[in-house]
Amino acid sequence: MKIAIASDHGGFDLKECLKAAFAAEWTDFGCDGPGSCDYPDYAVAVAEAVALGEVELGVLVCTNGMGMSVAANRFHNVRAALCRTAADAKQARAHVGANVLCLGAVNQPKEVAQEILETFVGTALSDEERHARRRAKVERARRLSDFSGLAKDDPEIYTAIKAQVLQEDTEINLIASENTSSRAVRLAAGSVLMNKYAEGYPGKRWYSGCLPVDAAEELARRRACELFGADHANVQPHCGSSANMAVYFATINPGDTILSLSLDQGGHLSHGSPVNFSGKLYNIVPYTVSRETERIDYDALERQALEVKPKILLSGASAYPRALDFRRIREICDKAGCIMMVDMAHIAGLVAGGAHESPVPYADFVTSTTHKTLRGPRGGLILCKEKWAKAIDKAVFPGMQGGPLENIIAAKAVCFREWMQPEMKDYAAQVVKNCKAMCKAVQDRGFRIVSGGTDNHLFLVDVKASGLTGKEAAAALDNAGIVVNKNTIPYDTESPFVTSGIRVGTASITTRGMKEEEAALIGTWIADILADISNTALQAEVKAKAKALTARFPVP
Ligand SMILES: *Cc1c(COP(=O)(O)O)cnc(C)c1O
């Protein structure tokens, strides 16, 4: 077994004695003699080796073992336990799952110390439910401990962050554009990489000292290309809207025509809304879904493209519950002689996990956010064919951005790596299964679903058909601990502030491990609330049930 060991001057003799008495593959981090030294230097070395997985266990010895255990426990994934007896060691391993043994040398007979070590190494983790449950609660405490330093430095912001933690813990989040990022993503996003100015691209920066951020950005670019099978990736856009802006700037001139899905039918602000830069700078021609099917009619789109002759045909949406046919869209772009641009912001995770066809083989440009189904940090991403690589990089920097957010880029890299793990395919498939199950539960209770169902992570309920507005439906559900957003539906007759629909998405509940059973149950709660919209007692009842359900499915 690989074990890291270290001591300060007070523990030096005992450390040497343990190494001699117990056969293991020891890595000795010092100290090397009885001269006075500082215990944290040695605790940190062993704790890091354990955290990195370079060794299975660690052993730290000082005069009484206390300073060592406090210092080692500063590290994530280190559980250091101070043991005075073999019985302590047994419990530390079996119950607590300790992976670093701390020993006090003073008044500790060497034979007892040896016995403690043998017991520690020889005891397996208990899988008894109560111990597993308690260990899980220790891990859960990291949701608070990760930012607990703020409690002293900025109590008001600490309070705001803690409120978000509690909200995530207890609410059923069905906002289709949100998800719950992993701890690894959040750690990278909050890292010191944010301190670096890095205008330019890896290897070609304007400032010195960019080697660490170059490594992170290079990984992000390479992983993005590998994950999506793209020729080129630009990982610098601060958000999805700026990713879209960069493609427009790289390819067309102000006044040129973009054919895109109309905002009130599921498109996005940055696809040409008159209040957005896109609508102000370009000649936007909107396309719509079919009145009958509420789906994109590709034949109609083809006719419109041939007539309008856009420079860019932009597909992708914020509220379109159906699969997109990228092969057919490519055909239309070829016939109309325009650039094929796909904004996969919403479905990027489904694409990464194989639950939606990828636009990458077909499109000249694919833009995305990294925080929706893709479950990374908030940010943007552009993928393109090699021939556009130079133009797009120039459009992002120096075209529209200054220094990139290298901490966020590192977090994007972490996210892309997560998607390369095989279980993420199951996640993507489960998001869709959950969505179908929830949608069916609502539909079975007589509510009208836009387009009759869903192929992806979201569905739209036409609440107006049941005599409600989107605004009041969303507010009632919010009271019940179920968070959705009001949303326009195709050919909506209500204003965007009122709307006739709600948009419901399953990315976040799937991240916390819910399956079809829970999704369908939530669907029945949604139907219960909407069917009796002013019943506040019912809302309180569902809120309690939602809280009990979420407690069983902790967010990461
Ligand atoms: C969310 C979204 C965006 C933009 O996202 P921001 O990061 O908020 O700018 C762009 N396009 C589509 C289709 C979206 O759904």
Side-chain angles (χ1 to χ4, degrees):
M1 179 177 291
K2 287 185 179 174
I3 308 178
I5 191 166
S7 72
D8 68 356
H9 50 281
F12 176 71
D13 281 345
L14 183 54
K15 174 185 68 139
E16 295 304 311
C17 160
L18 291 173
K19 269 179 13 190
F22 189 82
E25 208 179 310
W26 291 107
T27 307
D28 188 344
F29 285 98
C31 60
D32 299 324
S36 176
C37 59
D38 297 338
Y39 67 84
D41 299 339
Y42 302 94
V44 164
V46 165
E48 192 187 19
V50 171
L52 289 171
E54 290 172 352
V55 293
E56 285 158 80
L57 296 173
V59 178
L60 289 168
V61 197
C62 63
T63 304
N64 53 40
M66 288 190 248
M68 286 293 197
S69 57
V70 168
N73 276 318
R74 297 268 153 163
F75 275 70
H76 292 305
N77 301 320
V78 166
R79 291 171 300 279
L82 171 59
C83 300
R84 298 295 307 185
T85 63
D88 285 353
K90 192 164 183 172
Q91 291 216 342
R93 283 290 282 158
H95 298 182
V96 183
N99 52 13
V100 174
L101 169 64
C102 298
L103 292 165
V106 74
N107 296 331
Q108 180 66 287
K110 293 210 163 57
E111 318 75 64
V112 178
Q114 281 171 29
E115 195 196 341
I116 293 173
L117 174 61
E118 278 162 31
T119 309
F120 192 81
V121 174
T123 304
L125 191 67
S126 161
D127 53 12
E128 229 181 298
E129 198 276 334
R130 68 196 159 117
H131 298 309
R133 185 180 71 232
R134 289 163 192 164
R135 286 194 300 268
K137 285 192 175 178
V138 171
E139 291 304 299
R140 297 290 301 151
R142 302 198 300 186
R143 292 261 294 161
L144 287 180
S145 74
D146 275 347
F147 63 96
S148 55
L150 273 169
K152 187 156 175 290
D153 297 336
D154 192 330
E156 287 153 299
I157 288 295
Y158 174 79
T159 304
I161 299 175
K162 186 174 173 184
Q164 172 75 12
V165 166
L166 296 181
Q167 178 174 297
E168 289 182 359
D169 283 349
T170 54
E171 283 189 339
I172 296 176
N173 181 8
L174 302 177
I175 304 268
S177 50
E178 291 182 9
N179 208 327
T180 316
S181 56
S182 71
R183 214 157 151 275
V185 163
R186 295 197 296 271
L187 287 173
S191 71
V192 292
L193 295 180
M194 79 174 65
N195 295 332
K196 193 67 201 119
Y197 240 115
E199 286 175 336
Y201 291 97
K204 283 171 283 179
R205 306 284 194 186
W206 291 82
Y207 294 3
S208 304
C210 285
L211 287 182
V213 295
D214 275 9
E217 186 168 342
E218 196 46 50
L219 279 168
R221 294 207 293 199
R222 220 179 316 132
R223 287 175 184 173
C225 287
E226 190 186 331
L227 177 63
F228 291 107
D231 292 355
H232 179 74
N234 188 307
V235 294
Q236 294 192 355
H238 298 328
C239 65
S241 298
S242 61
N244 289 339
M245 186 188 252
V247 174
Y248 308 150
F249 283 6
T251 55
I252 61 175
N253 293 310
D256 284 347
T257 301
I258 299 172
L259 180 57
S260 60
L261 184 63
S262 143
L263 175 64
D264 59 356
Q265 300 224 342
H268 187 260
L269 273 176
S270 60
H271 294 188
S273 160
V275 299
N276 183 260
F277 81 92
S278 52
K280 292 182 184 183
L281 285 186
Y282 302 103
N283 175 40
I284 303 296
V285 179
Y287 61 90
T288 55
V289 296
S290 144
R291 246 179 211 283
E292 292 73 45
T293 63
E294 296 172 307
R295 299 179 191 218
I296 294 165
D297 175 343
Y298 292 99
D299 294 337
L301 180 59
E302 179 174 316
R303 286 193 295 276
Q304 193 180 7
L306 291 174
E307 190 192 308
V308 170
K309 298 203 181 322
K311 286 271 169 62
I312 293 177
L313 171 52
L314 171 51
S315 30
S318 301
Y320 185 67
R322 294 302 182 170
L324 293 168
D325 186 348
F326 297 125
R327 180 185 297 272
R328 183 75 179 93
I329 295 167
R330 176 77 254 175
E331 228 174 70
I332 297 171
C333 291
D334 287 340
K335 283 189 189 166
C338 63
I339 289 168
M340 175 173 172
M341 172 178 171
V342 176
D343 177 350
M344 65 168 181
H346 261 264
I347 58 169
L350 305 185
V351 169
H356 189 295
E357 187 190 23
S358 172
V360 173
Y362 302 102
D364 299 283
F365 291 93
V366 176
T367 56
S368 187
T369 55
T370 47
H371 49 271
K372 297 178 182 173
T373 50
L374 198 58
R375 215 165 85 176
R378 303 196 73 77
L381 168 70
I382 303 165
L383 306 169
C384 67
K385 298 281 185 247
E386 188 54 47
K387 72 166 182 167
W388 294 108
K390 271 213 168 77
I392 200 68
D393 284 354
K394 259 175 73 181
V396 174
F397 176 85
M400 36 179 294
Q401 290 186 180
L405 311 173
E406 293 293 348
N407 51 320
I408 298 300
I409 288 171
K412 289 173 190 173
V414 172
C415 160
F416 300 147
R417 185 177 187 272
E418 288 175 353
W419 277 100
M420 290 171 193
Q421 312 312 311
E423 65 268 19
M424 293 303 275
K425 281 213 162 15
D426 301 334
Y427 167 72
Q430 191 66 48
V431 169
V432 178
K433 283 189 219 164
N434 286 354
C435 194
K436 286 178 190 284
M438 193 183 293
C439 179
K440 184 171 183 302
V442 176
Q443 193 167 29
D444 284 351
R445 292 277 296 277
F447 290 92
R448 194 183 86 78
I449 305 297
V450 169
S451 84
T454 176
D455 302 323
N456 57 25
H457 64 297
L458 68 85
F459 64 94
L460 295 165
V461 188
D462 173 1
V463 295
K464 192 166 193 197
S466 305
L468 305 170
T469 65
K471 191 178 170 191
E472 63 184 331
L477 289 167
D478 199 28
N479 287 339
I482 298 174
V483 186
V484 303
N485 62 284
K486 65 182 177 201
N487 214 100
T488 56
I489 59 173
Y491 306 99
D492 208 319
T493 49
E494 298 287 345
S495 82
F497 299 102
V498 178
T499 80
S500 301
I502 53 168
R503 185 182 67 163
V504 185
T506 51
S508 189
I509 61 156
T510 309
T511 296
R512 63 199 301 172
M514 293 191 195
K515 297 251 164 44
E516 290 99 315
E517 188 187 334
E518 292 80 29
L521 180 63
I522 296 167
T524 63
W525 293 344
I526 292 174
D528 288 344
I529 298 290
L530 297 186
D532 195 0
I533 194 86
S534 41
N535 186 341
T536 49
L538 176 68
Q539 287 161 13
E541 198 182 300
V542 169
K543 187 169 185 150
K545 287 198 271 189
K547 196 170 171 192
L549 178 69
T550 53
R552 285 172 43 221
F553 295 92
V555 286

